[in-house]
């Protein structure tokens, strides 16, 4: 079946419709770059992708994006890792990702490179990481995924993570944390609206839970809201975004941040 273990200090680029099924493992300190070929999915099974047709195990390191979709029915995140590194351009490109993501019972921090101005990263194609589907629903379970911007950026540098339709299934109380200088974009109102899989969302200081893409206002349903950041809609249209919070029995969240119209944040996106 074959497997790939990515280690060392260089960047390993896999740019083909690979069918090895023994799995791909990214070691701490290693770097791998996705190819330009989209994953192929038959039913709920990945039959080929740049990273093969088996499990993907992330033990640290950095993943660089390209134009191809990476997918797996079994993605295990065992440590913090990075998607892209440094400012936009160069080796950086947005990473397309789909599949079932297990955080290993912990909070896993994803450092987002490819940063730029806020107006650039909220535009489609400007995000560092995009969760999308190709027959697979992106499902998050067994922990919390936390996004922060690469530490190399300045106060006016932002990174974006985009969730497309059917990519926001957070099961068993799984959490989503939006860190400093990170902006979310939503490609659909059918992102976080799973009846049994809404995220517990925490927005850290100077993080932006944005309920829109660059044009369209979106609606979202979440289980819980906490933190001290900003909830907004940066859509250029005049439509209204609606956030619905549906806590489970015993949930307790404190949100001390701001919920504001995007029009009041003109200094952010120009």
């Amino acid at each position: 079946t074959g497997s790939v273990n990515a280690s060392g200090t260089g960047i390993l680029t896999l740019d083909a419709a690979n069918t090895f099924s023994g799995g791909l493992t990214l070691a701490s300190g290693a770097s791998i770059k996705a190819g330009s070929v989209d994953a192929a999915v038959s039913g709920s099974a990945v039959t080929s992708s740049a990273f093969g047709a088996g499990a993907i195990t992330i033990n640290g390191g950095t993943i660089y994006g390209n134009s191809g979709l990476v997918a797996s029915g079994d993605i295990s995140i065992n440590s913090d890792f990075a998607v892209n590194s440094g400012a936009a351009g160069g080796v950086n490109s947005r990473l397309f990702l789909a599949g079932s993501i297990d955080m290993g019972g912990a909070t896993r921090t994803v450092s987002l490179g490819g940063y730029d101005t806020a107006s650039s990263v909220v535009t489609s194609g400007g995000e560092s990481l995009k969760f999308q589907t190709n027959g697979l629903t992106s499902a998050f379970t067994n922990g919390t995924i936390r996004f922060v911007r690469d530490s190399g950026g300045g106060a006016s540098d932002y990174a974006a993570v985009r969730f497309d339709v059917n990519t926001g299934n957070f099961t068993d109380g799984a959490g989503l944390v939006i860190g400093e200088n990170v902006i979310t974009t939503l490609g659909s109102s059918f992102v976080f609206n799973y009846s049994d899989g809404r995220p517990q969302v925490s927005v850290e200081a100077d993080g932006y839970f944005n309920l829109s893409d660059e044009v369209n206002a979106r609606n979202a349903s979440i289980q819980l809201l906490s933190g001290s950041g900003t909830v907004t809609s940066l859509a250029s249209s005049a439509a209204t975004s609606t956030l619905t919070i549906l806590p489970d029995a015993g949930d307790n969240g404190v949100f001390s941040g701001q919920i504001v119209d995007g029009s009041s944040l003109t200094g952010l996106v120009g």
Side-chain angles (χ1 to χ4, degrees):
T1 59
S3 62
V4 171
N5 294 311
S7 60
T9 57
I11 300 175
L12 170 65
T13 300
L14 297 178
D15 193 7
N18 293 307
T19 59
F20 64 89
S21 58
L24 179 142
T25 300
L26 177 64
S28 176
S31 298
I32 193 166
K33 186 173 177 66
S36 58
V37 178
D38 279 341
V41 178
S42 177
S44 60
V46 176
T47 57
S48 68
S49 80
F51 290 178
I56 297 173
T57 302
I58 300 171
N59 293 328
T62 301
I63 303 175
Y64 293 94
N66 204 329
S67 56
L69 170 67
V70 173
S72 173
D74 182 7
I75 302 173
S76 297
I77 303 177
N78 297 327
S79 182
D80 300 342
F81 71 103
V83 173
N84 294 316
S85 177
V91 71
N92 294 317
S93 185
R94 60 177 170 170
L95 175 65
F96 298 84
L97 188 62
S100 179
I101 300 170
D102 187 319
M103 277 84 72
T107 296
R108 304 302 187 190
T109 297
V110 183
S111 176
L112 300 175
Y115 51 74
D116 206 332
T117 63
S119 58
S120 294
V121 301
V122 299
T123 301
S124 180
E127 64 272 5
S128 184
L129 174 60
K130 178 180 179 180
F131 294 101
Q132 69 176 66
T133 60
N134 187 20
L136 287 178
T137 296
S138 289
F140 301 83
T141 189
N142 194 24
T144 295
I145 191 162
R146 175 176 179 258
F147 297 102
V148 300
R149 192 216 57 210
D150 187 318
S151 62
S156 60
D157 293 318
Y158 296 85
V161 55
R162 181 182 177 103
F163 294 88
D164 265 5
V165 61
N166 296 332
T167 62
N169 188 4
F170 285 70
T171 62
D172 301 322
L176 168 64
V177 179
I178 302 153
E180 181 180 4
N181 284 52
V182 170
I183 306 172
T184 61
T185 60
L186 305 185
S188 167
S189 290
F190 299 97
V191 173
F192 299 125
N193 288 325
Y194 292 87
S195 60
D196 59 348
R198 295 179 296 270
Q200 298 189 31
V201 176
S202 178
V203 190
E204 296 179 344
D206 296 317
Y208 294 86
F209 186 30
N210 168 42
L211 304 176
S212 71
D213 57 20
E214 72 273 22
V215 176
N216 303 291
R218 308 297 191 187
N219 302 326
S221 296
I222 63 175
Q223 181 175 328
L224 204 64
L225 180 65
S226 62
S228 57
T230 299
V231 178
T232 190
S233 176
L234 299 173
S236 59
S237 69
T240 299
S241 295
T242 299
L243 176 64
T244 302
I245 303 172
L246 299 167
D248 288 345
D251 285 345
N252 184 16
V254 176
F255 182 69
S256 59
Q258 59 177 347
I259 301 174
V260 297
D261 289 334
S263 59
S264 67
L265 297 172
T266 53
L268 177 69
V269 295

